[in-house]
Amino acid sequence: MTQRFENSVALVTGAGSGIGQTCVRQFLNDGAIVVAADIDATASAPDDEVFKAARDNKRLHFIKCDVSNRLDCENCVNETVKLFGRLDILINSAGISQRNVRPEADFEETWDQVMAVNLKGSMLMSHAAVEKMKLNSPSSGAIVNISSIMGCVVYNESDKLSDGFNPYPHSKGAILQLTRDLAVHLAPDGIRVNSVCPGFVETQFTKGLQDNPELHRKLAARHPLGRFGTPDEIANVILFLASAQASFVTGANWSVDGGYLAQ
Ligand SMILES: NC(=O)c1ccc[n+]([C@@H]2O[C@H](COP(=O)([O-])OP(=O)(O)OC[C@H]3O[C@@H](n4cnc5c(N)ncnc54)[C@H](O)[C@@H]3O)[C@@H](O)[C@H]2O)c1
C-alpha cells in the first residue's frame, strides 16, 4: 500500500523534542524521508525502533541548526537538498518562551530572543526552503507554521503568565500574518502555507506549568475538553495540512486546542 508521504522529503525544525519530534516519528511511519533539525544535538536521536530503523535505512538525517541564524537555516536547507535531491515539506516547530531565556535577561533581551527564534526563525527557514521548493518540477511545497492559542487571545489575567510584555503571544500572533502573507504570495508557485494553533500541550515546553498542580488544573480546565493535548494530537493535524489531502487548504490557521478558542 502506498504511504501518504512516500518519496516526499520533509524538514522539521525543533525536531529534538515535543511536537517536532512527534512530527518526525509520524512522517517516518507514513513513508517520508526526514531531516530533523534542532539547536540541541543531544536531544535529537531518541533510541526507539522507528528512529533507529529510519537512521539505518538512511531515511532520517539530523542537522544541528539554530533557526534564528540565517546561515544555519540556509545550510540546513542546502544540505537537505544535497542529501535527498529535493524538499517538499517544512514544519517550523522550533520555539521558545520567556522561560527558556536566561533569568538575568531584561525585558528587551527576552523579547528579542523569543522573537528571533519563534518569528524570525520561521521566516528564515521558510525563505531558504521556498527557494528550493520552487525548483521542484513542477514547483510545489507545503509549509506548516506553529502558532498558539496565545497568538489569537491573551493569557487569562488571573494566571499571571504575562504583564503585557511577554513576547510569546506577540511572536505567535505574528506567525499568523506570516502564514497568510506567504500563502497568498506563494500560491502561484504551488506552495501551500498554513498554521496550527495548539492549546496547552504535554511537552517539555510546559513542564514548568505541569509541575505546578494547581496551575496545571486551572489551565487544563480552560480547555472545554478539560485537559492538555498530546503531541500526537497536534502532529496529526500538522501532517494532514502538509499532505496532498489538504491540497485546497492554504493561508489557513487551524485550532487544535480542545475547544479553547471556541469560548
Ligand atoms: N507545548 C505547548 O503547550 C505549545 C502550545 C502552543 C504552541 N506550541 C509551539 O509548538 C512548538 C513546539 O513546542 P514543543 O511543545 O514541542 O516544545 P519543546 O520545548 O518540547 O521543543 C522545542 C524544540 O525546539 C528546539 N529549539 C529551541 N530553540 C531553537 C533554535 N533556536 N533553533 C532550533 N531549534 C530550537 C528545542 O531544542 C526543542 O527541541 C513551539 O513553536 C511552541 O511555541 C507549544
Side-chain angles (χ1 to χ4, degrees):
M1 203 176 78
T2 314
Q3 289 179 293
R4 201 162 42 145
F5 294 104
E6 207 159 285
N7 300 323
S8 295
V9 178
L11 170 51
V12 181
T13 73
S17 173
I19 296 167
Q21 188 175 84
T22 304
C23 286
V24 173
R25 184 177 284 105
Q26 289 199 6
F27 272 124
L28 291 173
N29 278 330
D30 233 334
I33 292 165
V34 183
V35 172
D38 202 288
I39 197 170
D40 180 358
T42 61
S44 298
D47 205 18
D48 73 22
E49 279 312 307
V50 178
F51 282 77
K52 203 171 153 315
R55 276 197 303 272
D56 291 349
N57 297 332
K58 307 222 176 321
R59 284 178 49 229
L60 171 64
H61 182 75
F62 173 73
I63 298 178
K64 185 173 179 343
C65 168
D66 174 358
V67 296
S68 67
N69 180 299
R70 178 177 170 178
L71 203 60
D72 268 19
C73 294
E74 291 173 352
N75 286 341
C76 181
V77 168
N78 288 340
E79 198 177 329
T80 300
V81 174
K82 199 165 146 208
L83 277 168
F84 300 116
R86 57 187 292 126
L87 175 61
D88 301 290
I89 295 164
L90 169 67
I91 310 298
N92 282 314
S93 191
I96 59 169
S97 75
Q98 58 182 9
R99 295 186 294 276
N100 300 99
V101 178
R102 66 187 185 101
E104 312 78 47
D106 72 354
F107 77 97
E108 185 185 10
E109 184 185 339
T110 303
W111 199 90
D112 282 344
Q113 214 170 310
V114 172
M115 294 301 269
V117 176
N118 295 4
L119 179 59
K120 189 178 175 189
S122 299
M123 182 277 293
L124 287 174
M125 283 301 303
S126 299
H127 190 273
V130 160
E131 194 180 304
K132 300 297 180 193
M133 288 172 172
K134 285 182 179 175
L135 299 178
N136 292 337
S137 179
S139 171
S140 62
I143 298 175
V144 183
N145 295 317
I146 320 300
S147 178
S148 163
I149 48 172
M150 293 310 156
C152 303
V153 294
V154 300
Y155 285 109
N156 191 291
E157 194 59 32
S158 73
D159 295 338
K160 303 201 180 342
L161 292 172
S162 180
D163 57 359
F165 294 98
N166 180 342
Y168 187 75
H170 306 176
S171 70
K172 293 300 182 179
I175 281 179
L176 300 179
Q177 192 63 350
L178 173 70
T179 300
R180 294 182 198 109
D181 207 7
L182 289 177
V184 169
H185 289 97
L186 295 171
D189 298 298
I191 299 170
R192 296 182 301 103
V193 188
N194 293 291
S195 56
V196 293
C197 273
F200 285 84
V201 185
E202 291 162 358
T203 68
Q204 193 58 34
F205 193 81
T206 54
K207 187 162 184 316
L209 308 176
Q210 295 181 65
D211 286 348
N212 176 337
E214 197 190 329
L215 183 58
H216 186 206
R217 212 173 312 113
K218 207 161 123 184
L219 293 173
R222 294 205 191 288
H223 304 69
L225 289 182
R227 60 175 175 83
F228 280 27
T230 66
D232 269 310
E233 289 175 313
I234 312 304
N236 289 340
V237 179
I238 295 172
L239 263 73
F240 172 75
L241 288 171
S243 77
Q245 290 166 309
S247 52
F248 201 51
V249 185
T250 197
N253 174 49
W254 283 21
S255 307
V256 196
D257 64 354
Y260 195 108
L261 292 175
Q263 306 165 93

